[in-house]
Each structure stands twice: as structure tokens, then as C-alpha cells.
Amino acid sequence: MLRLILALTLVAGAATAQDSTIDFGGFEQNSGAPIEVVSDQLDVDQQDGTAVFTGDVTATQGDLVLTGERVEVFYTTGEDRQIRTLHVTGGVTLVTSEEAAEAEEATYEVVDGTILMTGDVLVTQGDNAIAGERMTIDLETGTGRVEGRVRTIFQTGN
């Protein structure tokens, strides 16, 4: 319902552009925090170093919460395997205490501290909303870029 209301609001009175750079100060990475994944099912393949979580999946690292229907985890190679990448599909939501984003899929590069969200991306920051086809967030700098027929609503406080 929230997505429908925001989409209608965006269509009714949004400024448009091809891409937009925005502040994502609320999306921060706590790289030292463990990543907890909760799901209905887990399949592990030791041969290729992947784990696939399916069914109402929630992945949490510090204040960063990613949800979707499927999360594929890729590990680094070597003796001390660490999580390298999370690929999330199926009704993806990314939430922090200050911001929320929705998309069709997301790739969280844990080592690089970046998140790429694609497919009907919708971001809310308080009363402001931004929509586009693709969004990249740099968790180290707190900046992001939204591309692909970007629509924005910024409340003026009037």
C-alpha cells in the first residue's frame, strides 16, 4: 500500500531527470558486525563456496537490514572464508533507522561496502521519495546514485 501511495504521489508532481546523486547518510556499513541470516531453508555448496537461503529471508548487519525471498551468499576463497557478496531477489527491501528502499533485486558487495539495487527502485527518506530503475549506494561515503527516469519528491515544509 505504501508503495502504491508513493508511486501515485511521484506521478502526480515529481521533478524528473535521467540520474541523480543523493545523500544516503543513514545507510552505513558496520563491517566489523556479523551478518545474521534467517530463512525457511538453506542449501550449501562447499564446492563452489555458496549458500542459498530461501523463503522469507532477512539478512542483518548492524542497523542494515536486507529482506527478500532468496539470498545467495558468495564467500571468499582460501582457508579463512568470509562473506564477499549477498545477492537478494524477490521483493527486496533495504531498511535502516533513517531510510528505506525497495527493488526487484539487490547485490551487497560486503568487502567493497556497496549496494546495487535494480528494478523499480523506490527510496524513502522521511517525507521525501526517489524512484528510478537502478540505485548504487556507497556505504563508506554515504552517497548514492539513482539512474533511469528518476522521479523525486522533496518536501519543502510549507
Side-chain angles (χ1 to χ4, degrees):
M1 185 61 158
L2 173 63
R3 188 172 176 85
L4 176 62
I5 291 168
L6 288 172
L8 291 174
T9 306
L10 287 169
V11 170
T16 61
Q18 286 301 342
D19 64 47
S20 177
T21 302
I22 51 181
D23 178 26
F24 285 111
F27 290 117
E28 295 178 354
Q29 179 188 35
N30 181 353
S31 59
I35 297 175
E36 177 185 16
V37 182
V38 178
S39 68
D40 293 335
Q41 182 174 318
L42 167 62
D43 294 303
V44 177
D45 186 336
Q46 295 292 345
Q47 296 284 335
D48 66 5
T50 61
V52 178
F53 296 86
T54 53
D56 196 21
V57 185
T58 301
T60 305
Q61 184 181 37
D63 291 335
L64 195 69
V65 180
L66 262 169
T67 63
E69 282 303 309
R70 175 184 167 98
V71 174
E72 194 169 2
V73 178
F74 299 90
Y75 295 90
T76 59
T77 57
E79 262 183 56
D80 187 28
R81 286 192 165 192
Q82 302 291 320
I83 294 176
R84 178 177 45 94
T85 305
L86 298 174
H87 184 246
V88 187
T89 55
V92 176
T93 303
L94 172 64
V95 179
T96 70
S97 59
E98 299 178 27
E99 299 158 321
E102 297 177 359
E104 292 175 9
E105 66 180 276
T107 302
Y108 175 20
E109 296 292 346
V110 177
V111 175
D112 297 338
T114 60
I115 298 175
L116 170 64
M117 299 183 80
T118 57
D120 294 324
V121 177
L122 176 63
V123 181
T124 57
Q125 296 174 312
D127 291 337
N128 300 321
I130 302 167
E133 284 302 310
R134 175 185 170 101
M135 175 176 68
T136 306
I137 303 169
D138 184 328
L139 298 169
E140 298 295 319
T141 63
T143 60
R145 176 176 291 270
V146 179
E147 303 171 280
R149 199 63 186 158
V150 177
R151 294 185 170 272
T152 61
I153 294 179
F154 298 110
Q155 299 300 325
T156 60
N158 291 333

